[in-house]
Amino acid sequence: MMQWLAMGGYWMYVWPSYLLTFLVLVLNVGFAQRSAQRARQEALRRTQSAAAQQGRS
Amino acid sequence: MDWTWFHRFGSPPHFYRIAGTLIPWFAWLAALCGLAGLIGGLGLAPPDYQQGDGYRIIYVHVPAAVLSTMAYAAMATAAGVGLIWRMNVAHAVAASCAAIGASFTFLALVTGSLWGRPMWGTYWEWDPRLTSELVMLFLYLGYMGLRGAIDDTARADRASAVLALVGVINLPIIHYSVDWWNSLHQGHTLLKFAKPSMPPSMLVPLLLLMLGFVLYFAAIVLVRARGEVLRRERNARWIAELLGAPS
């Protein structure tokens, strides 16, 4: 296990690469979901206010 | 040839629905390919005869680099379709590609730098391959900056689409840079069908991870594009129906 973690002495280059890749993958999911969530909320507000206006007129 | 599918795809409600169905498939397949590729790449593949275990950076560097160029090609294609057929959904897809592509270009540059330090003795060199990849990062950032600077969505779509299409010239430069110039970067490993430069135990995990990254990209782009489509639709009835609001 330790031998595997040491990556033949290249651990300080290999593991940061994998860690950063993991971060980029996770952050992309998070940002995309947040952006889609916000768009849904805005759309909901828009359609509701449009419906309310129709109700008044 | 029947082109109805193309026009149907341009219809926002249709796109929204199809994308919603496709996202979980892409996401699960991406996770599966990624996991299998990781087990193969970090566990089963033997060390390289020259680079020892240091070469294992390839399993994140190459998929990231391939995806960075593929995302650009996808962005430019979508932008071109949007420009020619005035298809709003295509512009939404193009706009969704940029941030993801930029993040993977950054990832390719940093992992390449971490690989270059032990193997070449330097984190950075103004080498044709490295420089053209850096130019692509600036193209992505320029595209995003241009979109952010124009308030009117339709104008932002057109202007950024032209920028994306002009930047396509950089793609063959990135790809062929290792052939055209005397580059520090190693030559093609994969696109040599006659005789790949890797044994299957190294190659299969790499191909799995590349496939995983591409599927991941497809899922994330569609998540973002669905949001973009909603933002562009002003008070459309289908949104009201979709979100369950009284219409």
Side-chain angles (χ1 to χ4, degrees):
Chain A
M1 182 70 184
M2 284 312 285
Q3 201 188 354
W4 179 70
L5 282 177
M7 277 288 148
Y10 291 111
W11 63 271
M12 55 185 299
Y13 304 107
V14 174
W15 294 123
S17 302
Y18 278 81
L19 184 71
L20 186 74
T21 304
F22 180 73
L23 270 177
V24 167
L25 290 173
V26 170
L27 285 179
N28 261 308
V29 172
F31 284 133
Q33 279 180 339
R34 201 181 59 175
S35 155
Q37 181 74 29
R38 278 196 186 151
R40 244 192 324 272
Q41 282 163 354
E42 282 162 27
L44 197 58
R45 261 202 304 279
R46 259 198 332 261
T47 48
Q48 274 170 348
S49 67
Q53 271 174 359
Q54 271 178 3
R56 269 199 298 276
S57 62
Chain B
M1 188 175 167
D2 186 13
W3 284 94
T4 22
W5 64 271
F6 181 72
H7 295 289
R8 274 172 66 102
F9 217 67
S11 129
H14 189 69
F15 172 84
Y16 194 90
R17 218 176 23 252
I18 293 232
T21 317
L22 288 176
I23 288 167
W25 286 96
F26 285 148
W28 282 110
L29 283 172
L32 224 68
C33 288
L35 200 66
L38 271 186
I39 292 169
L42 285 174
L44 306 178
D48 184 65
Y49 81 104
Q50 277 183 326
Q51 303 192 359
D53 285 318
Y55 92 96
R56 293 187 200 277
I57 295 176
I58 201 174
Y59 295 114
V60 286
H61 173 70
V62 168
V66 167
L67 188 55
S68 70
T69 50
M70 273 194 51
Y72 196 94
M75 179 174 87
T77 307
V81 168
L83 207 58
I84 294 166
W85 283 282
R86 295 173 175 271
M87 197 186 272
N88 222 347
V89 168
H91 281 305
V93 170
S96 306
C97 290
I100 312 167
S103 69
F104 279 93
T105 310
F106 172 76
L107 182 63
L109 285 167
V110 176
T111 54
S113 177
L114 284 165
W115 197 3
R117 178 62 200 158
M119 302 308 166
W120 299 343
T122 177
Y123 284 113
W124 183 261
E125 192 63 46
W126 291 102
D127 170 275
R129 173 55 77 77
L130 279 61
T131 309
S132 52
E133 182 80 7
L134 183 66
V135 166
M136 189 164 68
L137 180 62
F138 293 142
L139 280 170
Y140 275 125
L141 296 179
Y143 177 92
M144 289 158 70
L146 186 61
R147 290 198 67 89
I150 305 174
D151 284 332
D152 180 42
T153 311
R155 278 189 57 217
D157 283 342
R158 282 196 299 275
S160 62
V162 171
L163 176 66
L165 287 170
V166 170
V168 166
I169 188 76
N170 194 40
L171 290 182
I173 297 180
I174 293 176
H175 184 75
Y176 291 109
S177 54
V178 290
D179 299 331
W180 290 345
W181 292 286
N182 193 3
S183 174
L184 197 56
H185 196 282
Q186 68 189 68
H188 301 293
T189 305
L190 293 175
L191 293 175
K192 296 198 297 188
F193 291 110
K195 186 178 173 293
S197 314
M198 283 179 132
S201 56
M202 290 181 176
L203 185 63
V204 170
L206 182 59
L207 293 177
L208 277 172
L209 277 160
M210 282 166 59
L211 182 62
F213 270 47
V214 171
L215 288 165
Y216 167 93
F217 172 73
I220 300 292
V221 162
L222 289 181
V223 169
R224 274 184 180 274
R226 282 179 105 208
E228 272 302 312
V229 164
L230 282 189
R231 263 187 215 106
R232 282 149 193 267
E233 289 290 316
R234 293 284 150 194
N235 301 325
R237 187 176 288 275
W238 69 271
I239 292 184
E241 282 167 10
L242 178 88
L243 299 171
S247 57

